Amino acid sequence: MKKRIVYVYGAFLFAILGLLTACPKSNVNADAEFDKYKEAFVLRLWEMNPGWASGSGYHKYDSVLVVPDKERQSKEREFIQKELDQLNQFESEELADANQIDYKLIKNYLDASAWELAFFKSGEWNPSNYNICGGFAEMLANNYAPLDERLRNFSIRLKNVPAYYKAAKANIKNPTKEHTQLAIEQNRGGLSVFTADLPASLEKSTLSTKEKNVLLARSKAAQNAIEEYASWLEKLPNPNPRSFRIGSKLYAKKFGFDIQSDNSAKEIYQSALIHKKELHQKMVKISRQIWNKHMGSKAMPENEYELVKQLIDQISLQHTQPDNFQKDIEKQIPELEKFVKQKNLIYLDPKKPLVVRREPDYMAGVAGASISAPGPYDKGGNTYYNVGSLNGWPTERSESYLREYNDYVLQILNIHEAVPGHYTQLVYSNNSPSIIKSIFGNGAMVEGWAVYTELMMLENGYKNSPEMWLMYYKWNLRTTCNTILDYSVHNLGFSKEQAMNLLVNEAYQQQAEAEGKWKRATLTQVQLCSYYTGFTEICSLRKELMKKQGKNFSLKTFHEKFLSYGSAPVRDIRELMLSKN
Ligand code: ZN
Ligand code: ZN
């Protein structure tokens, strides 16, 4: 099935996100009207996008597979225009803070969709846009309705698969080699939904023989269509493939829509370059300080890169054992909570403890840790901290993994994923749910917050030691270089050699990790910038408020207020926070 791309620290699944209070100055009627509009908008959005609806836990359209043909595109354009017209009837300034942000998020989504259709046109050059397997897999894996009911919808939805791939082929023009290869791999990989998962589910079902036979015939036709699509792509004459680099013009626009920042992509890139230099200086300084402590009488290398690299390698040997991996993570959560309370950094709701669990089988292979939160239609659901098991890994692989997640980095990971990072942010945004923010929540804010908390905890003395700081800087360097890499690849024609030099020789990454990052930069655009952009914007906002409020500034108040707006772009939170202080 189509694998979810798992970002740096593991998958972060959105939950019900929202806001705390309404602005007293706002127009009550306008807000009531806008609330009604939002509700109706979401229902129309799901009707237009049945696959997205199912993935968000709204199952009314499970049996529908949209065929991406020309007719569909004009329907989309019509939908966007109609919604923009409706949105324009509201004066955003008359709305409460929460609704002002929702307004901007809806508008941004509609503008971005119109731009995709008219200019970006990834449906023409990215064949991996077309893949039906993931949606079908979820219908079998997620137990949201009785199995027979899910299988009946599955069967109806299968009918459109051949038409779906026919339309896909008609849309594709001059695709990139990289996305063509990805499409072939992912579509073929997805076939197992029909060859393995489906038969297993049918066995457990009580469908009649006739129903089963109809379903199996449709499944066969779907498999043929998928295989035919893959082999068509393999044989597609493509003498001058389009470059995977999207170029400065498209990049600047996409950055604007995806990140929603006050800064341009170029400004963020330049800031990342400066930040990288500062990190290097700090790392060299610490390394000189603690060289003898770790390396004894071994001569200190003159080359600064070698100096830092050797120390990092040495300190990385301090790590847990495979069997203790989950226990160690579990042990750290109360320590983090205790520290946050002691230092008065942010209020943690004691009624919402984090449940640590071994990662469920369907997520297996995604090592590390991730947060799973209930979707917008699953309000009672638990939030879990999934910890990957290293059981059954070859020794060499788990050793290399544990060196990466050594005793220092493991703590930073827990800050990032759990307390006061993603998990804490989630609890705050759940306090007053907004379905708009759960659908269009801003990834740069969410990741930026988690990255910001790593620094904030260390600044406040969490497990303070030079070793901790050295490892933190290495970790932060990764985030910083993600931005430099993504920008350079798409705007400056960075070659693979240049990329490897940046990641391996300047960011101390292993070859395998660097190769993976290069691949990701060739297949995606802008997303790799979200961590650093959100981080640096939150740091700047904090600085601005400290200056403005002087001795009245309270870190705790800043954090709680900042999170109270939900997963909104930092730019919009900044505007609201500065206007009120
Ligand atoms: Zn070891
Ligand atoms: Zn994260």
Side-chain angles (χ1 to χ4, degrees):
M1 69 184 259
K2 187 170 175 183
K3 295 220 176 63
R4 283 210 175 83
I5 298 174
V6 176
Y7 299 121
V8 179
Y9 308 102
F12 176 77
L13 308 176
F14 281 100
I16 321 146
L17 308 166
L19 300 165
L20 285 175
T21 48
C23 166
K25 276 174 293 186
S26 68
N27 179 332
V28 179
N29 282 334
D31 278 309
E33 283 300 310
F34 191 71
D35 286 341
K36 258 192 263 167
Y37 164 74
K38 283 197 296 192
E39 224 172 280
F41 164 76
V42 171
L43 296 181
R44 290 192 294 269
L45 182 73
W46 294 151
E47 198 181 352
M48 271 301 284
N49 302 281
W52 188 6
S54 307
S56 305
Y58 186 84
H59 295 289
K60 187 175 166 188
Y61 303 109
D62 274 10
S63 65
V64 184
L65 179 70
V66 171
V67 176
D69 54 14
K70 292 279 170 277
E71 198 186 319
R72 162 70 185 184
Q73 286 172 24
S74 30
K75 237 179 109 183
E76 277 174 34
R77 273 187 283 269
E78 203 180 301
F79 171 82
I80 293 165
Q81 199 46 58
K82 266 194 191 153
E83 296 299 335
L84 279 172
D85 289 345
Q86 290 210 47
L87 200 58
N88 278 335
Q89 311 203 334
F90 294 95
E91 291 285 352
S92 129
E93 302 79 48
E94 284 183 11
L95 301 171
D97 288 358
N99 272 337
Q100 279 191 31
I101 293 177
D102 283 358
Y103 178 102
K104 287 181 191 169
L105 290 173
I106 296 173
K107 177 141 185 357
N108 184 69
Y109 164 71
L110 295 170
D111 289 342
S113 308
W115 174 76
E116 156 74 48
L117 280 169
F119 299 101
F120 199 56
K121 297 184 181 177
S122 64
E124 291 183 2
W125 52 264
N126 179 358
S128 76
N129 274 6
Y130 306 104
N131 188 331
I132 49 109
C133 302
F136 282 98
E138 280 177 24
M139 290 180 82
L140 299 181
N142 299 336
N143 198 15
Y144 54 86
L147 178 62
D148 286 2
E149 189 185 320
R150 284 183 281 136
L151 284 170
R152 287 191 183 106
N153 283 328
F154 191 103
S155 184
I156 304 170
R157 182 160 158 167
L158 275 173
K159 285 203 279 187
N160 270 353
V161 173
Y164 174 98
Y165 282 103
K166 193 176 161 216
K169 288 192 234 166
N171 291 342
I172 289 169
K173 292 175 197 142
N174 192 30
T176 80
K177 274 193 296 196
E178 291 74 11
H179 293 98
T180 303
Q181 199 47 43
L182 182 69
I184 294 168
E185 281 164 23
Q186 287 187 332
N187 272 283
R188 285 217 174 110
L191 281 170
S192 65
V193 177
F194 304 102
T195 56
D197 304 358
L198 179 62
S201 292
L202 276 177
E203 205 142 292
K204 283 182 257 161
S205 82
T206 57
L207 293 189
S208 71
T209 313
K210 196 181 155 207
E211 280 178 304
K212 284 186 185 174
N213 287 339
V214 170
L215 202 166
L216 285 171
R218 287 176 184 160
S219 162
K220 194 80 206 118
Q223 291 171 53
N224 289 341
I226 295 168
E227 178 46 46
E228 215 218 304
Y229 179 60
S231 47
W232 178 81
L233 285 172
E234 265 172 346
K235 287 184 229 124
L236 191 70
N238 195 5
N240 299 301
R242 180 186 167 113
S243 166
F244 63 82
R245 306 173 202 277
I246 64 173
S248 299
K249 221 172 128 190
L250 291 176
Y251 192 90
K253 270 283 188 193
K254 191 166 200 285
F255 186 89
F257 288 128
D258 290 1
I259 307 277
Q260 301 171 65
S261 165
D262 269 333
N263 302 287
S264 67
K266 194 173 176 188
E267 285 165 336
I268 291 296
Y269 163 70
Q270 283 164 343
S271 143
L273 284 180
I274 295 170
H275 190 64
K276 181 184 78 172
K277 207 176 243 174
E278 289 167 355
L279 290 172
H280 278 159
Q281 285 164 355
K282 289 173 179 163
M283 291 173 90
V284 170
K285 197 173 158 205
I286 295 180
S287 299
R288 291 215 165 100
Q289 265 170 28
I290 59 172
W291 177 266
N292 286 339
K293 179 173 157 197
H294 291 276
M295 311 302 268
S297 56
K298 189 174 176 192
M300 209 188 283
E302 272 187 34
N303 178 303
E304 288 183 341
Y305 166 78
E306 269 306 313
L307 170 77
V308 174
K309 168 107 176 67
Q310 287 185 26
L311 252 181
I312 285 176
D313 287 348
Q314 180 67 26
I315 295 171
S316 299
L317 298 177
Q318 302 172 33
H319 61 73
T320 183
Q321 295 308 313
D323 291 345
N324 293 335
F325 190 61
Q326 181 171 343
K327 248 197 324 224
D328 278 0
I329 287 182
E330 231 163 321
K331 221 167 56 198
Q332 281 173 23
I333 307 298
E335 285 176 21
L336 288 165
E337 290 173 337
K338 199 173 146 208
F339 182 84
V340 166
K341 276 181 218 155
Q342 233 169 35
K343 296 275 174 172
N344 213 18
L345 299 176
I346 185 168
Y347 173 73
L348 301 175
D349 190 342
K351 294 189 294 295
K352 313 246 167 70
L354 178 60
V355 188
V356 183
R357 68 171 176 185
R358 215 193 110 176
E359 102 192 329
D361 284 343
Y362 69 89
M363 298 173 81
V366 183
S370 66
I371 295 278
S372 298
Y377 294 98
D378 183 20
K379 291 183 188 186
N382 267 326
T383 299
Y384 294 103
Y385 192 18
N386 311 302
V387 179
S389 161
L390 309 185
N391 277 348
W393 284 30
T395 319
E396 204 181 313
R397 186 173 166 209
S398 64
E399 174 64 23
S400 138
Y401 183 82
L402 290 171
R403 282 185 194 178
E404 180 71 32
Y405 292 93
N406 56 62
D407 290 348
Y408 299 97
V409 171
L410 197 56
Q411 318 230 23
I412 301 169
L413 177 74
N414 282 321
I415 295 172
H416 178 103
E417 292 292 341
V419 179
H422 287 320
Y423 179 68
T424 302
Q425 193 257 328
L426 211 65
V427 173
Y428 271 81
S429 59
N430 282 349
N431 276 342
S432 171
S434 148
I435 189 154
I436 296 300
K437 286 179 199 73
S438 83
I439 301 171
F440 303 124
N442 184 271
M445 180 272 179
V446 170
E447 286 305 339
W449 169 260
V451 174
Y452 161 75
T453 59
E454 301 163 5
L455 173 65
M456 188 273 290
M457 289 289 275
L458 262 66
E459 282 173 341
N460 283 281
Y462 187 70
K463 304 275 169 103
N464 195 13
S465 72
E467 289 80 4
M468 189 73 176
W469 277 103
L470 181 66
M471 291 316 237
Y472 165 75
Y473 289 138
K474 184 205 164 195
W475 193 246
N476 193 256
L477 193 57
R478 176 152 105 175
T479 302
T480 309
C481 286
N482 281 346
T483 292
I484 298 173
L485 175 72
D486 198 66
Y487 185 88
S488 306
V489 162
H490 289 287
N491 294 276
L492 310 173
F494 232 40
S495 67
K496 186 171 177 188
E497 286 66 41
Q498 286 173 302
M500 287 296 154
N501 183 52
L502 171 75
L503 301 175
V504 176
N505 296 334
E506 295 193 66
Y508 308 99
Q509 293 181 10
Q510 299 297 314
Q511 191 73 19
E513 189 192 351
E515 298 256 2
K517 203 51 74 64
W518 163 256
K519 189 168 178 197
R520 188 168 147 195
T522 64
L523 294 172
T524 67
Q525 318 86 22
V526 174
Q527 200 277 335
L528 277 170
C529 298
S530 56
Y531 308 84
Y532 177 76
T533 309
F535 164 68
T536 193
E537 287 188 324
I538 296 171
C539 291
S540 313
L541 172 60
R542 186 177 74 169
K543 217 164 143 188
E544 259 179 291
L545 283 168
M546 281 170 111
K547 206 173 148 197
K548 202 168 163 188
Q549 299 173 350
K551 61 180 191 325
N552 292 325
F553 178 85
S554 142
L555 198 55
K556 183 168 184 277
T557 311
F558 167 65
H559 293 152
E560 289 166 3
K561 184 79 190 157
F562 180 81
L563 292 189
S564 75
Y565 295 96
S567 307
V570 179
R571 171 184 69 190
D572 299 336
I573 298 178
R574 175 181 175 273
E575 201 182 300
L576 292 169
M577 279 185 87
L578 286 173
S579 72
K580 272 164 205 156
N581 280 284

